[in-house]
Structure formats: C-alpha cells, structure tokens
C-alpha cells in the first residue's frame, strides 16, 4: 500500500512551537492534509511521549511513529525514528548525563558527536539520519563535507533533504548514492500550511511503525514531495542583512562580507550542493513532486492578505469537503473537478503539476517567492 508520511515535527516543549501542537489536533490535521503516517516529534521529552500513549491507536487510522530530533555538540541536528516508544525511554537512559535536561527541551542539545548519537540510537534498534542536511545552519553539510566526517564509522539510515533542497540536490553526491531521501515538514504548527508541507510517500507492506521503518531500511520510497528549493530562505548565496544575492565566486571575492552593508554572506544550498557533488554523476531517484500548500495557492490566486481570511477559508473547506484531503487535490484530483469548485485554483494546480512556475529564489534568510505562468 502507498502511504504519505511526515516523520519530523515538534512539540510545544521545543522553541517557537504553537501551543496547539497536541496529539488530537495533529491527528485531525493529518486527516485534512492527507497524511497517513506521522512522527510524534520530541519523543525524548518524557511528558510529551507519555501524552501520545492513548493516541498510538486512533480512530482516524493514522500510524504514529516515535520520533525525535537531537542537536549534537557541533550544533548538527539528527532525526531519530523508532518502532516503539520504549526505545526512546532506553535511548534517554543511554544519553543520561550528556544534556542539561530532557524535560525542559523538546529538542535536546546533547554533548556528544554525531557518531556517538547514531551509535546509541542503533543500540536501541532505532534509525538515525541527518536532519535538513543541506540547511546552512544546524545541519550536517553546514559543518562537514561527508557522512563519515560527521558520523565516523557509524552508518546512517537516511538523509532528510530539508526545505531548501529537493532530490536533485543530493542525487549527484557520491556520499549519498545508497541512502534513501526523506522529505518532512519540521512542522511547528498543526495548520495545513505547515503540517505535511513536505512529505514522503512510501510503499508499505504493513501500515505500522515497524512497517514504516522497514520501508526506510529497504528504500521503498515511491515519491518525495515538497517545496521548490528556490522557496527556501537559504537557497541562494546571499547577505544575511540586506539579502543581496551573490555567485559563489563573488562571495569568495568579497571574503564573505557584503560590500553594500558589511553583513555576513551565507553560502546557499544551491552552491553547497554543487560543491559537494564535485562533478559526480546524478543517480536515479524516486519522482520528486513540487507542491505548495493549498491554502497558499488559494491566498495567491485570490490576492488575499492571509490564507486565513473568511473567503480563503471558505474555499479551502469546499475543497476538503469535496475531495477529502488537501494532498489529493494537489496531486490526484482531475483538473476538471477542481475547476468546478474554483477555476483559478485549477489553473494554479495545473501549473504546479506541469512545472509552469516562475521562481524568485530566496537567500540569506529571506524566503523565495513564486508566480504562476
């Protein structure tokens, strides 16, 4: 069976996360979005993990996978996935004394290397891989040039692309040839424009946490879906103060300082990926579908100030009522049926499916934008 999965979210125990990120709201959000498999987020936080206890089995049929993100001593972030919540209790014990607290922080800062964290995760039978690997802050490729430089002799099980990269960015990097790519939302809010904004479609033999991890181990990724990389706020090399974009050669020539205002120039994901590929040959990957949240599409075609205006919400609700969930509208529903509800949305969805989108890349911390042809 095919299942859409979002395996990286957070809880209110993490910084800048909505207080509405609660199991009930998340399960409802999955139904609306069209997500069948959800990571718990912050499973090393004992109270949050305990709060999921009565929701691992739920009437909506959403498969819940115990999941956490850990920051290591080099500030690199790692995603850990397990079959059973008890594995995170065991991991917390193995990590005891390496962090200030697992109670006060949903995403703990652990004073260990990536190799040491990965080894402990594997000791309890969990999977581990770099979170948003290409992001120029708190990511593996921000500080290291290879998997082994970050993880030593300990293998990783997957690579999370992150919101500023699609599969093409990693397909030519020899270091990643044999690793499955995951696309996840890293959501801090349960709203449909955040939850499931990037997702991985797996081919599952069993729609259970064990089945999901087995699909990752065997690379049973049917589809990756996510933003256009150009929408990411660190896609292009740019000044972090005025957002002026530079070529890699220009940035080096300016010694990574913006000549306009003296701000720091941050290397973008686009240039970093080319640098890491070192002329390597791109290997085939599962299809990557560029998507935008339906609420964002509606806001754009309506010229609204927010996707939460009464009119935009009414249009969104009409689509969900008609077709069941958002991902179905974006990916599968025939255009004629979408057009019957809202012709402009149908045109936008058609443009997305056919890649007829004009992109204005982001960089330096400013999100990119798009316009429809």
């Amino acid at each position: 069976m095919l299942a859409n999965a979002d395996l990286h979210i957070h809880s209110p125990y993490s910084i800048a996360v909505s207080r509405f990120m609660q199991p009930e709201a998340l399960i409802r959000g999955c139904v609306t979005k069209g997500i069948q498999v959800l990571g718990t987020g912050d499973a090393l936080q004992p109270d949050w993990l305990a709060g999921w206890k009565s929701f691992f089995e739920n009437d909506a049929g959403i498969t819940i996978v115990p999941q956490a993100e850990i920051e290591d001593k080099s500030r690199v972030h790692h995603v850990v996935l397990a079959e059973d919540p008890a594995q995170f209790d065991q991991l917390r014990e193995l990590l005891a004394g390496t962090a200030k607290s697992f109670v006060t922080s949903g995403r703990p800062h652990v004073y260990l290397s990536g190799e040491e964290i990965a080894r402990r995760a594997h000791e309890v039978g969990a999977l581990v891989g770099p979170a948003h690997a290409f992001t120029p802050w708190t990511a593996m490729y921000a500080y290291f040039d290879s998997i082994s430089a970050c993880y030593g002799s300990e293998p990783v099980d997957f690579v999370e692309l992150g919101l500023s990269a699609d599969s093409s960015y990693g397909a030519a990097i020899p270091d990643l040839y044999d690793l499955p790519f995951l696309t996840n939302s890293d959501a801090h809010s349960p709203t449909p424009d955040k939850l499931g904004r990037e997702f991985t479609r797996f081919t599952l033999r069993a729609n259970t946490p064990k089945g999901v991890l087995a699909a990752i181990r065997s690379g049973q990724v049917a589809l990756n879906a996510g933003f256009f990389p150009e929408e990411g706020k660190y896609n292009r090399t740019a000044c972090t103060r005025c957002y002026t974009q530079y070529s890699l050669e220009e940035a080096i020539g300016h010694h990574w300082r913006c000549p306009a205002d003296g701000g720091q120039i941050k290397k973008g994901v686009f240039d970093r990926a080319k640098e890491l590929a070192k002329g390597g040959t791109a290997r085939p990957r599962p299809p990557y579908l560029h998507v935008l949240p339906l609420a964002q599409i509606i806001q754009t075609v309506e010229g609204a100030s927010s996707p939460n205006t009464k009119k935009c919400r009414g249009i969104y609700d009409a689509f969900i009522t008609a077709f069941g969930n958002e991902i179905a509208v974006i990916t599968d529903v025939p255009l004629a049926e979408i057009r019957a509800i809202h012709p402009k949305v149908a045109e936008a969805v058609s443009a997305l499916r056919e890649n007829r989108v004009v992109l204005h890349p982001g960089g330096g911390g400013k999100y990119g934008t798009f316009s429809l042809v």
Side-chain angles (χ1 to χ4, degrees), residues 33 189-197 227 293-296 307-308 316 326:
K33 191 74 179 189
S189 165
T191 58
D193 60 326
K194 302 299 182 186
L195 185 67
R197 58 186 172 177
F227 288 177
L294 180 58
Q296 186 180 354
N308 295 314
Y316 184 90
E326 177 178 326

Side-chain angles (χ1 to χ4, degrees), residues 178-257:
D178 298 322
L179 291 169
F181 291 162
L182 302 188
T183 34
N184 301 309
S185 71
D186 198 357
H188 287 211
S189 165
T191 58
D193 60 326
K194 302 299 182 186
L195 185 67
R197 58 186 172 177
E198 297 208 345
F199 63 90
T200 308
R201 181 172 290 173
F202 291 107
T203 301
L204 301 180
R205 291 187 176 181
N207 193 5
T208 62
K210 184 176 181 179
V212 174
L213 268 62
I216 295 173
R217 289 189 180 99
S218 58
Q220 295 301 308
V221 175
L223 174 79
N224 292 102
F227 288 177
F228 291 91
E230 291 84 356
E231 286 190 277
K233 59 183 178 180
Y234 295 108
N235 183 259
R236 292 296 200 263
T237 297
C239 173
T240 58
R241 188 177 295 170
C242 70
Y243 310 120
T244 298
Q245 296 184 7
Y246 298 94
S247 69
L248 187 57
E249 294 74 18
E250 289 172 333
I252 293 171
H254 293 311
H255 304 286
W256 300 96
R257 284 292 167 186

Side-chain angles (χ1 to χ4, degrees), residues 297-305 309 311-312 315 342 344-345:
I297 293 172
I298 294 169
Q299 177 190 0
T300 300
V301 300
E302 286 292 325
S305 59
T309 64
K311 184 176 184 180
C312 288
I315 296 169
H342 198 290
K344 290 183 179 179
V345 171

Side-chain angles (χ1 to χ4, degrees), residues 15 21 23 35 44 84 97 120-121 227 253 278-279 338 355 372-373:
I15 296 171
M21 286 288 274
I35 295 293
L44 283 169
D84 190 289
R120 284 164 171 76
F227 288 177
K278 300 176 182 177
I338 298 174
N355 217 23
L372 301 171
V373 178

Side-chain angles (χ1 to χ4, degrees), residues 31-33 294 298 312-329 333 337-338 341:
V31 173
T32 300
K33 191 74 179 189
L294 180 58
I298 294 169
C312 288
R313 288 299 311 171
I315 296 169
Y316 184 90
D317 291 344
F319 276 111
I320 302 306
T321 299
F323 304 116
N325 67 75
E326 177 178 326
I327 289 175
V329 175
V333 173
E337 296 182 28
I338 298 174
I341 293 179

Side-chain angles (χ1 to χ4, degrees), residues 9-21 42 187-190:
I9 67 168
H10 285 284
S11 75
Y13 291 96
S14 288
I15 296 171
V17 175
S18 168
R19 62 187 175 87
F20 296 109
M21 286 288 274
D42 299 351
H188 287 211
S189 165

